[in-house]
Amino acid sequence: MFSRIALISAIGLVAVACASNPAPAGGGAVTPDAAPSVTSAPAAVAGTATISNMAASTSWWAEEKLIPEDPALALVMTGGRDTDKNAGFFAECNAANGAITMHLGKQAGRTGNATFKVRAGAGTRDIEGRFSTKASTNETSFTFPVTSADLLAMGQPDMISFVSDRGEVEWALVKNTAAQVQAKYVGSLTGFGAAASDFLNYCNPK
């Protein structure tokens, strides 16, 4: 059984790409203004259209997945308890060393490395990552490392969005499920804080 870790207090808004996990250079946390209520879409290039708005039908769930499988935190259909059947946005923890990798799914056809941007409130920062395909699902994701503090901070703002190297808002996560959001895929932040805390407890390397 995994021992519990001391959770790091998430102060301010998200700084998704990271310092303590192995990661490409470019560090420094986002220090945006206080997060506003979300009532309109984030800025994006013209032409970003919503493919699937799952805000009203999704929530977050953590699954321990004892060794040899790794713990997971995932956006799932509300009431779902299987992180393998996620909505396309999930995190995995390497149980051997505690390293956390975030996966932004729905990236079919993409390969190689890329620089995305994460937005929280008025703050924006670059995140370096790569495209990878999970053999069990054949789902291609943009993957990048995050710290535990960054993960907890993701649940603080009213909305967090991820913009691709092509300038399109690939994903947005919102607290207000009725918000009008301009993004390809929209999910909810419902249950994120509690699920992230559980995930970090499971993620503690023995």
Side-chain angles (χ1 to χ4, degrees):
M1 181 62 65
F2 292 90
S3 59
R4 301 181 67 86
I5 63 171
L7 297 178
I8 303 172
S9 177
I11 300 173
L13 300 184
V14 68
V16 174
C18 48
S20 62
N21 290 335
V30 171
T31 54
D33 298 335
S37 296
V38 177
T39 56
S40 60
V45 296
T48 299
T50 300
I51 296 172
S52 179
N53 188 331
M54 302 170 280
S57 58
T58 52
S59 59
W60 286 85
W61 183 254
E63 191 173 359
E64 188 167 11
K65 292 190 173 185
L66 297 176
I67 292 173
E69 294 188 272
D70 291 326
L73 169 70
L75 181 70
V76 297
M77 301 309 292
T78 300
R81 295 294 182 267
D82 186 351
T83 56
D84 286 332
K85 297 178 180 178
N86 60 74
F89 197 137
F90 65 100
E92 291 180 312
C93 169
N94 184 328
N97 59 22
I100 302 169
T101 302
M102 186 70 72
H103 299 252
L104 305 182
K106 315 295 185 183
Q107 303 297 311
R110 298 300 308 270
T111 58
N113 300 325
T115 301
F116 278 35
K117 293 183 183 297
V118 59
R119 292 175 178 164
T124 302
R125 72 157 295 163
D126 291 344
I127 48 176
E128 305 287 341
R130 64 186 181 87
F131 297 100
S132 62
T133 301
K134 193 169 184 177
S136 60
T137 61
N138 203 34
E139 172 79 12
T140 299
S141 300
F142 175 71
T143 65
F144 57 95
V146 297
T147 66
S148 55
D150 293 336
L151 190 72
L152 288 173
M154 281 181 61
Q156 300 304 308
D158 289 328
M159 179 175 71
I160 181 170
S161 57
F162 297 84
V163 184
S164 77
D165 53 336
R166 296 171 173 174
E168 296 178 302
V169 183
E170 294 290 330
W171 279 90
L173 300 175
V174 297
K175 286 185 177 178
N176 177 6
T177 59
Q180 297 300 307
V181 178
Q182 185 180 3
K184 288 184 177 180
Y185 302 96
V186 184
S188 174
L189 281 167
T190 300
F192 185 88
S197 295
D198 288 343
F199 172 70
L200 292 175
N201 288 335
Y202 304 152
C203 186
N204 185 33
K206 294 196 294 288

